[in-house]
Amino acid sequence: MRSKSIPVLALMSAAVLLLVATGAFAQPTLTSQEQLGKNLFFDTKLSLNENQSCATCHAPESGWTGPDEAINVDGAVYEGSIPGAFGDRKPPSAAYGGDSPILYYDGTKWVGGMFWDGRATGWTLGDPLAEQAKGPFLNPKEQAIPDAAALVAKVQASEEYADLFAQQCPGTDTAELYNCIGRAIAAYERSSEVSPFTSKYDYWLKGMAKLTAQEHLGRALFQGKAKCSACHIIKGKQPLFTDFTYDNLGIPKNPLNPATIADPSWADPGLGGFLESLKKPEINYMAEWGKHKVPTLRNVDLRPSERFVKAYGHNGYFKSLEEIVHFYNTRDVPGAGWPVPEVAQNVNTAEMGDLGLSPREEAAIVAFMKTLSDGYVLP
């Protein structure tokens, strides 16, 4: 028995080493700051009623966005720590946002910032991602902690990571400790655990995987006839599939959005609303009315199961990649039957609406986007 078991164990060890080499079992090593960020990201105690963490709305199994299928199918807006408190938009992905620049106007368009409306500008910390990470904790429609001091007290009371917090965030100034919390979460979101570049597409770029004929067609259409890469740009060795700008796609109002149910006349102003809050001239903010940040398409199809429903668009109106691609293709085609846009101003008609794609071409684009899911295991 012993002489037979040795080669078996050797084969098993070789197999494990192969899986590690291909990334199937590989686990990234987090820095102390990233580990603190991870602890903070998954801690449900960091909410008013200790029932909600960042991961409640940004879960890894669904591409770091909403993991509750029933919510995605419905209004797509997640309830906060306080029962009945809802935001206005579906959760964007928490991954691959670390390269978004500080919000600026380049003379023709706004670029950078975080959140759908850009309000985490980076103007204070020099890092939009860190500013975004601070926001939900004190938002009454999200984690609803009353103030920064209460948040810091909760973190310092943690049995799991209080010592790590003290090490990474020394001092007693509440504002600085609050900033340190944001920076730690941003570090985790930038880490190779959250933004690992392990999709089939990434391996194809390295010559380690082969795309199917349908996926190749989808890639060509994505960069050509379908005009997807005009905003979801493919650039460099690790493309992020976004240009960090803002756009009004003419998405219809989601009738199941709690904000719409409360006020049927409400329409999401997006970036324009944020700029109005800054007291920008009307001519400036109205030019951005209804525009929302172009999201990354990485992990756009990542889900816990094949039939799991994700929501797409800033308001979650669409429930599948097939549906939103068909919308891009046919929004302006007479008789297509799409409802009117939520916001009629500033709708992008140059890069979408009547693309002339066939059903085969739409399916190919969807197939290509499915290659952007992390966790691909090499055959």
Side-chain angles (χ1 to χ4, degrees):
M1 288 291 291
R2 182 169 180 172
S3 62
K4 292 180 181 179
S5 66
I6 292 174
V8 171
L9 289 172
L11 287 171
M12 290 175 64
S13 298
V16 169
L17 288 172
L18 178 61
L19 287 169
V20 170
T22 60
F25 287 167
Q27 293 295 323
T29 300
L30 299 178
T31 67
S32 295
Q33 185 187 37
E34 291 166 354
Q35 182 59 54
L36 173 61
K38 181 176 182 177
N39 292 137
L40 295 163
F41 191 92
F42 286 95
D43 190 351
T44 57
K45 293 180 180 179
L46 302 184
S47 59
L48 181 66
N49 293 312
E50 301 191 346
N51 58 348
Q52 187 176 59
S53 69
C54 304
T56 300
C57 299
H58 304 279
E61 67 270 19
S62 53
W64 302 94
T65 183
D68 190 317
E69 185 174 31
I71 294 174
N72 297 341
V73 169
D74 198 5
V77 176
Y78 280 61
E79 189 174 32
S81 182
I82 299 173
F86 291 89
D88 304 330
R89 302 166 182 138
K90 87 164 208 67
S93 174
Y96 297 105
D99 286 342
S100 187
I102 296 171
L103 184 68
Y104 70 98
Y105 187 69
D106 71 357
T108 60
K109 59 186 179 297
W110 287 89
V111 184
M114 292 295 292
F115 289 120
W116 283 109
D117 60 4
R119 68 186 185 276
T121 61
W123 296 341
T124 302
L125 296 185
D127 182 355
L129 190 61
E131 288 185 15
Q132 184 278 327
K134 292 170 56 180
F137 289 118
L138 308 191
N139 189 330
K141 295 182 178 180
E142 297 187 69
Q143 285 157 276
I145 295 176
D147 52 41
L151 170 63
V152 170
K154 279 179 172 286
V155 171
Q156 291 174 329
S158 170
E159 296 179 359
E160 290 78 20
Y161 58 89
D163 290 343
L164 181 59
F165 178 67
Q167 171 196 334
Q168 290 296 307
C169 303
T172 58
D173 183 78
T174 297
E176 286 305 312
L177 293 173
Y178 183 31
N179 289 341
C180 192
I181 288 170
R183 293 190 188 281
I185 294 173
Y188 174 60
E189 291 174 332
R190 288 187 171 100
S191 76
S192 57
E193 184 169 305
V194 181
S195 304
F197 296 96
T198 56
S199 69
K200 182 179 183 180
Y201 177 78
D202 291 302
Y203 290 121
W204 173 77
L205 285 177
K206 297 175 183 177
M208 300 170 66
K210 293 182 178 181
L211 300 183
T212 67
Q214 185 187 42
E215 291 163 354
H216 270 300
L217 174 60
R219 181 179 63 87
L221 291 164
F222 189 97
Q223 294 182 274
K225 181 179 178 181
K227 304 180 181 179
C228 308
S229 62
C231 298
H232 301 284
I233 57 176
I234 302 179
K235 183 179 179 182
K237 295 181 179 179
Q238 294 182 323
L240 296 172
F241 292 89
T242 177
D243 62 358
F244 305 112
T245 63
Y246 295 78
D247 215 342
N248 181 1
L249 307 180
I251 295 175
K253 184 175 293 190
N254 185 346
L256 300 178
N257 185 329
T260 302
I261 293 172
D263 180 6
S265 67
W266 178 83
D268 193 334
L271 174 63
F274 169 60
L275 296 178
E276 182 186 27
S277 74
L278 297 181
K279 309 300 182 183
K280 297 287 184 181
E282 182 175 359
I283 191 172
N284 296 140
Y285 70 72
M286 286 307 298
E288 313 302 327
W289 207 257
K291 293 184 181 181
H292 292 85
K293 194 176 182 189
V294 175
T296 177
L297 293 185
R298 284 188 170 273
N299 292 321
V300 70
D301 187 62
L302 186 61
R303 62 191 71 218
S305 65
E306 187 176 349
R307 294 188 176 183
F308 179 89
V309 176
K310 294 182 72 170
Y312 299 96
H314 70 275
N315 61 10
Y317 177 86
F318 303 103
K319 308 304 179 183
S320 70
L321 283 178
E322 288 80 4
E323 186 182 18
I324 194 169
V325 169
H326 187 59
F327 174 78
Y328 268 64
N329 183 31
T330 64
R331 183 197 63 201
D332 300 336
V333 174
W338 294 106
V340 298
E342 180 178 8
V343 175
Q345 303 101 301
N346 309 311
V347 173
N348 184 339
T349 57
E351 295 158 336
M352 60 179 293
D354 188 0
L355 300 174
L357 299 169
S358 68
R360 172 176 172 267
E361 289 172 326
E362 286 188 10
I365 293 168
V366 171
F368 171 65
M369 289 194 287
K370 289 183 177 182
T371 71
L372 305 180
S373 296
D374 285 324
Y376 180 73
V377 178
L378 291 169

